[in-house]
Every structure is written in structure tokens, then in C-alpha cells.
Amino acid sequence: MQVQGTCEEKFLAIKNIFQQSFDNKEENGAGFSVIQNGNVLINLFGGTRDGKETWKENTIVNTFSLSKGIYAACISKLIAENLLDIEKPISYYWQSFNKKNILVRHLLSHQSGMYRFKTKLNNKDLLDWEKIKTILENQEPDHKPGEFTYYHAKTHGYLVGNLINIITGMTVGEYLKKNISNQYKVNFYFGLDDLQLNNVADLKEDLSESNGKKNNEDLNAFNNPVHDLNFYNSQEWRKSEVPSMGGHGNAMSIAFIYDCLANDIKQNKNLISNQATLKNGLVETGSKIDLSLNLPIRWTNLGFILRGGWMFGKNKEAFGHNGWGGSLGFADPISGLGIAYVTKKINPTMGLDKRAVNLIKKFYELLK
């Protein structure tokens, strides 16, 4: 399987590494892109969409929690336009969310205590926004806001999405389309139409990487409902809007969004947000162990993750979000660029995924 796309001559070693991941069967469908101040340095893709059809430049794939970084970009735009204040209680906007001590920034930074569903759910329940909204409105938080950090793996997108809906009258997908996607021809979506459904890669799980852990009986951030790859490959999932874990896109579009954010900080370009909003939103909430992930995560007021290792490149100011399975995207405001990797081959572990990291390390080695 020959890798396709474009790559500046100085970065050809990266194309070779990407090709090797297919030759070695580590990868079977993926894309990798780097954009610097609007210039495409690398845009590589390869493999197949569904085992037969070739993965093309505009092929999209479910990126799982990488999606959280895309709607964080939407949130930063709302803040820049003075439509949202992270210091206000959620209930200021969402009056039936009767938890007056939970501020918007507590939610965005995964410190609200609303990190799990306490009602037992199945995957089809995730498509029923009214049901989920009612559950969250009536559910008591697990801890005082700001006291602990628990990654809101599945609840986050509903809570943030409903805030966006109340403020703008649009769903997350509609807001993204109107304010970012249409303007910049971005190939990322929350909720696919029939045309987009014809160009989605089917997810495949890499069972060789499975850690074999038993499912925790207690309802936590991840297991209610449990992951079901067949469901995530269904049309009903792809057509729905489940922002926490259901955004579909390609590497080029994700890298483009992060390039915009990087240069909104570096040069105050006001492409999506502005310098002041992003600098305030990227304040670290404190060096706390994320108790959902049992890892030290550098969460910010906007819900982006600050660099904690090579997953987000070499500069400590880099920020972004990764997703279950191996997809990731981040902005590097020092180098003024955005980077993204997307894949259909799901690595089910929570560890560092070498497929993307090998490419990122080589990129920074060659970037002068």
C-alpha cells in the first residue's frame, strides 16, 4: 500500500516512516498533516477506508475525544466574542441546570464533578439528547467543583454542547459549520449528512494491543455505556451529534484548526479566537492527578491539554487533545503550526501511541 499526499522535500524522511507503518502492518488507514501559518508542509494519507476502498485526501474518520479540542476551539470563539464568560455559573446560561456553584471553567477543565452518568445507559441512549440532558440536569455532582479533576469522557460534550445551543441557538455541529467549517472549507463534522457518509473509514480494533483488563463494575467515566466499535461504525452513530467522542474529520482539517489557534496566539490573527482569550483560556488549572485517567494531566481553563510529553511535540506551550484509539491534534504557538494524526486502527490502550509520536519526533528533528 503506497502512501499518498504531499510532503516538502526536507521532510521526506517522515513520509518514509509513515510508509513503514503500513509495510509493518502497524497501520492500515491513517492521515498525518502539518500546517504552519497557513502553509501545508505535510499532508500524507494511506491505507484503505473499509478494507477495499482507498483512503483518499478527504476521507474522514471518527476521532473520538480529539473532538473535544475542536469544540474547545468553538468555545474560545464564543468567549472572544463576549458571548460566554467562563467565570459565570453554568446555571447563568442553563437555568434548569440547578447547580449554582459549578462555573463554566469547572466544566471545561473537567473539575465539575459531572464526569459520569450515574444512570445505567446503553449506547443508543447516547443518541437521545433530551434523555441525556434530563439525566444531567437532575444528577448531583460527585464532588465540589474545583476540588478534584476527573476526565469527563462521555458527559462533557453534552454539557458543553447544550451551553453552545442555549447561547447560539445552534447545535455544536451547526455552530462549527457556520463559524469555522464553511469559512475555511474545513472537513470536520459533528453529525454527518448522506454525502459525508460515503467517505467515512470503518474503525478496526488492534486486538494485539489489548491490555486484557476486566471492565470495572462501578459506573465510571468510560464504561457507562461500554465501548462498542460496531455501534460507532453504524450510520445512526455517524449521523448523530455526540460531541465528546463522535467528531469525524481528516488530519488536514484538524491541523488547519490548530494552526489557526497557534497563530491567533502568536500573531493575534483572529482567525478563530484572539490572543487574550487563548492566553487566559490556556492557564493551567493546577498540577493535579486526573482521577479518571490516573495520570497527571495538564488541563486548562478551555479544556485543552498542555504538552506533557512528545505526543504534543517539543515545546511546552503546545496544547491540544488526543482521542481513544490513537488520533491526536495540537497547536504549537512557538513554531506557529498545527499537527494532526488520524487513524481507523484503534489502539485500545491509554498509553502513548508510537505511530503518531514517531512522526512528530522526526518532524521536530527536521524543523529548523
Side-chain angles (χ1 to χ4, degrees):
M1 181 63 64
Q2 193 67 33
V3 164
Q4 304 295 315
T6 59
C7 183
E8 287 194 355
E9 188 173 355
K10 68 183 288 187
F11 300 118
L12 283 177
I14 292 169
K15 186 175 183 179
N16 293 334
I17 293 171
F18 193 53
Q19 180 68 56
Q20 287 169 14
S21 70
F22 290 90
D23 295 342
N24 299 336
K25 310 298 184 187
E26 294 171 338
E27 188 57 271
N28 54 26
F32 178 66
S33 297
V34 182
I35 301 177
Q36 185 177 44
N37 198 18
N39 300 310
V40 179
L41 305 184
I42 301 168
N43 183 38
L44 299 172
F45 48 92
T48 63
R49 198 182 75 208
D50 55 6
K52 296 178 183 177
E53 295 292 330
T54 302
W55 187 296
K56 299 176 182 176
E57 182 176 11
N58 64 342
T59 295
I60 58 177
V61 67
N62 191 352
T63 61
F64 293 101
S65 286
L66 178 153
S67 310
K68 293 181 174 77
I70 304 302
Y71 65 69
C74 295
I75 286 290
S76 72
K77 185 171 181 63
L78 289 174
I79 295 168
E81 293 173 351
N82 295 314
L83 295 173
L84 178 66
D85 183 346
I86 64 171
E87 296 299 332
K88 289 190 182 297
I90 294 172
S91 59
Y92 174 85
Y93 303 97
W94 182 353
Q95 293 181 2
S96 52
F97 188 82
N98 192 24
K99 305 166 202 1
K100 299 188 184 304
N101 57 346
I102 300 179
L103 306 182
V104 172
R105 64 176 167 82
H106 291 141
L107 167 60
L108 298 178
S109 61
H110 301 267
Q111 298 183 89
S112 76
M114 300 290 291
Y115 66 91
R116 60 177 180 146
F117 297 113
K118 296 185 184 182
T119 302
K120 184 66 178 172
L121 300 176
N122 60 52
N123 276 294
K124 286 204 172 185
D125 290 328
L126 296 178
L127 312 184
D128 188 342
W129 268 78
E130 284 305 313
K131 178 173 184 174
I132 297 296
K133 189 172 74 168
T134 300
I135 287 170
L136 293 172
E137 284 177 342
N138 292 295
Q139 181 176 297
E140 287 301 311
D142 278 287
H143 61 79
K144 292 178 182 178
E147 184 178 27
F148 300 110
T149 303
Y150 280 87
Y151 177 49
H152 297 32
K154 299 184 178 183
T155 59
H156 200 257
Y158 296 100
L159 293 163
V160 176
N162 200 53
L163 265 183
I164 290 174
N165 182 245
I166 289 168
I167 292 166
T168 68
M170 290 177 273
T171 67
V172 181
E174 290 167 345
Y175 184 84
L176 175 69
K177 182 178 180 181
K178 180 179 178 181
N179 292 278
I180 297 175
S181 300
N182 285 353
Q183 183 176 353
Y184 297 117
K185 295 182 173 58
V186 166
N187 193 21
F188 196 99
Y189 314 93
F190 293 103
L192 306 184
D193 62 25
D194 290 337
L195 183 63
Q196 293 147 7
L197 284 171
N198 292 325
N199 195 31
V200 186
D202 290 334
L203 302 164
K204 301 289 183 183
E205 190 161 10
D206 185 0
L207 297 176
S208 67
E209 296 288 338
S210 178
N211 55 21
K213 287 184 179 178
K214 291 184 178 179
N215 217 19
N216 192 327
E217 294 288 328
D218 297 326
L219 300 184
N220 61 39
F222 302 101
N223 70 358
N224 182 29
V226 296
H227 281 306
D228 182 348
L229 227 56
N230 289 329
F231 186 65
Y232 301 146
N233 281 331
S234 69
Q235 284 204 8
E236 58 184 335
W237 171 264
R238 290 169 175 172
K239 285 183 174 182
S240 66
E241 288 194 32
V242 184
S244 293
M245 49 190 292
H248 290 71
N250 67 352
M252 176 82 115
S253 294
I254 298 160
F256 176 84
I257 288 172
Y258 277 114
D259 176 54
C260 288
L261 294 174
N263 287 291
D264 282 347
I265 297 177
K266 186 176 183 180
Q267 303 182 53
N268 201 21
K269 282 199 164 186
N270 299 295
L271 297 169
I272 292 174
S273 186
N274 62 38
Q275 191 175 66
T277 296
L278 287 166
K279 283 188 173 181
N280 183 56
L282 290 169
V283 170
E284 188 173 352
T285 57
S287 299
K288 299 177 182 176
I289 295 292
D290 187 301
L291 296 172
S292 288
L293 295 165
N294 291 315
L295 292 168
I297 306 291
R298 299 178 63 207
W299 289 112
T300 64
N301 283 335
L302 271 173
F304 288 113
I305 301 169
L306 290 172
R307 181 194 184 273
W310 265 104
M311 186 165 61
F312 292 168
K314 76 170 187 177
N315 292 320
K316 63 180 175 52
E317 296 85 356
F319 62 94
H321 214 295
N322 62 313
W324 180 71
S327 293
L328 63 83
F330 70 90
D332 178 348
I334 302 302
S335 301
L337 56 82
I339 296 182
Y341 184 88
V342 299
T343 178
K344 75 170 192 177
K345 189 176 183 182
I346 299 302
N347 171 3
T349 70
M350 297 300 290
L352 204 64
D353 195 308
K354 66 180 181 179
R355 293 173 295 179
V357 169
N358 287 344
L359 298 168
I360 292 164
K361 280 187 173 181
K362 178 57 71 172
F363 171 75
Y364 277 97
E365 180 186 314
L366 298 173
L367 181 67
K368 304 296 181 187

